[in-house]
Structures are given as structure tokens and as C-alpha cells.
Amino acid sequence: EVARGPMTGEGPADGTWTIVASKSEGITPGFRITDTRGDLYFIKFDPITNPEMATGAEAVTTPLFHALGYHVAENYIVMLRRENLRIGPKATLYREFSGQDTPLTEQDIDALLKRVARNSDGTYRAIASKAVAGKPLGPFRYYGTRPDDPNDVFSHEHRRELRGMRVFAAWLNHDDSRSINSLDALVERNGRKVVRHYLIDFGSTLGSGSTQAQKPRAGNEY
């Protein structure tokens, strides 16, 4: 049960994946895709210098935090081929030099894949993180309460799940356990709308620094 974690399926369906947007969150290269079933996934890769590092860390840490009682996304290890990717008609990429979103191009995809680890058979290993259920409401603040959530009556800094997370993050060297790596979502439970708090993005755990091997100082000095 621990190894299975939150997974309800086997990841993105086989076939052509449609890129609907570049991944604008975090430092890891990636993009958002829909598979042939119409499910939305966030795709992230390993750095050239450390194949399997970030994806392996995410695959191991996700079910552990789930076993500890936290809501987490479904994260699957996948192998993809360049020819199985197509760009959706509304896919865009944020251009830093212009400060604007412009249409995503095939050249943009090729440039991104040159920055990530590639297998000897030409495939790319990645983490496919399935979009969580419900309406996204932004990160879970680690202090105060949500003014739009009538059930949120205890200041977050006093909640057990956050105080306990200090210990679990230390155990798994999750040194990037910031609020930005969480997500609140409005979901329906027993016929009521409630806010569910998710932890997301475990690529910087267990000695992985997402884009490079983690330095010894991280996780060993407060």
C-alpha cells in the first residue's frame, strides 16, 4: 500500500500527447500535456548531469508523504519519444525578453529537450504529475487562515500537519518544502465544497536538487 501511494492508474495513456502549455512553475524544464483520454499532466525531466535523479526522488518521496497522511499528486515515471509529442493550437511559452506569452513552436520543444537527460535509445525519462482534482486555489499559506474557507478556523502555523512536516521534511531531506510547493484545491466531499491541501513537487529530496545534485549544506544547516 505504501509503494502504491496515491496512484489510481498507470499514468498517461499511450499514444500522442498534446502539449497545451509550457511549465511556468519551478526551475525544472517541462510542459503540460493532455493524453488521449484528455487527462492533464505536468511533465518534468532529469538534468543532463544526473539522469534519473530528480524523477527518482519524486517517485520515492511521493508515496511516503502519502503514507504519512498528506494529500499529494499522482506522480508516474514515464518514457516518452519526441515524435509522440504534438503542440496544441493554444499552447504558449512565456518569453522573458519580451515579457509576453507567444505561441509555442517545435523549435521551443527541441530546445527544451536539449537541456534534459536522454536515454541511449532516444527516449526521455520524465515524471508525469497528474493534475489534482478540483479547482486550484493557489498555494497553502503556512500562517494565518484562508478568509474564503469557513472551515479554516485554526492558524496554519499551529496545525499539527505543518508542525509534523518539519520532522518528515528533515527525514527525507525535503529542503524545498516551501509554501510555493503546495496547492489548495476546492473539491466536493459528501455533497459539500471543501478546500483540500496538497503537497506537490518532491524533486528536491533525498539528495536531489532538481537541476543538480544537492549540496551537503542543504538539509544540514538551518
Side-chain angles (χ1 to χ4, degrees):
E1 290 177 353
V2 171
R4 183 64 182 171
M7 285 54 161
T8 60
E10 301 301 326
D14 293 336
T16 301
W17 296 351
T18 301
I19 300 174
V20 296
S22 61
K23 187 179 78 70
S24 58
E25 305 84 3
I27 60 174
T28 310
F31 38 74
R32 284 177 275 173
I33 64 103
T34 53
D35 65 3
T36 53
R37 289 191 291 258
D39 292 332
L40 177 66
Y41 289 85
F42 297 82
I43 306 296
K44 297 184 294 184
F45 300 90
D46 289 304
I48 293 175
T49 54
N50 298 79
E52 303 188 15
M53 179 190 67
T55 55
E58 191 126 22
V60 171
T61 302
T62 296
L64 289 176
F65 267 102
H66 179 264
L68 291 166
Y70 294 89
H71 294 294
V72 296
E74 299 181 33
N75 290 325
Y76 299 92
I77 294 284
V78 296
M79 301 292 178
L80 65 89
R81 291 189 176 276
R82 173 66 177 89
E83 56 267 29
N84 290 344
L85 298 173
R86 79 174 188 90
I87 298 176
K90 297 182 179 180
T92 60
L93 175 65
Y94 176 74
R95 314 280 178 177
E96 291 188 4
F97 64 87
S98 66
Q100 295 180 332
D101 289 319
T102 61
L104 189 66
T105 67
E106 298 290 346
Q107 290 75 22
D108 293 326
I109 302 303
D110 292 336
L112 182 149
L113 293 176
K114 287 181 180 179
R115 298 163 47 202
V116 302
R118 186 182 186 186
N119 299 321
S120 58
D121 63 357
T123 60
Y124 297 88
R125 170 176 158 133
I127 274 285
S129 183
K130 190 174 184 180
V132 302
K135 177 184 176 182
L137 300 176
F140 173 50
R141 296 191 309 178
Y142 287 176
Y143 59 90
T145 59
R146 285 196 68 102
D148 59 352
D149 182 5
N151 297 309
D152 196 13
V153 295
F154 296 106
S155 294
H156 298 170
E157 61 267 31
H158 301 310
R159 292 175 64 152
R160 288 178 298 174
E161 61 266 40
L162 276 182
R163 291 189 287 124
M165 197 172 80
R166 291 173 177 262
V167 179
F168 306 137
W171 173 43
L172 297 167
N173 201 26
H174 185 15
D175 73 311
D176 197 21
S177 54
R178 298 174 295 159
S179 174
I180 196 172
N181 289 323
S182 67
L183 178 67
D184 284 353
L186 187 66
V187 301
E188 187 167 318
R189 186 177 67 189
N190 299 326
R192 298 175 57 229
K193 295 287 187 180
V194 297
V195 176
R196 178 173 292 168
H197 309 297
Y198 286 89
L199 298 181
I200 59 175
D201 196 351
F202 299 115
S204 188
T205 58
L206 303 175
S208 166
S210 293
T211 58
Q212 62 184 0
Q214 192 57 279
K215 293 178 173 58
R217 178 181 181 276
N220 289 281
E221 289 192 27
Y222 185 68

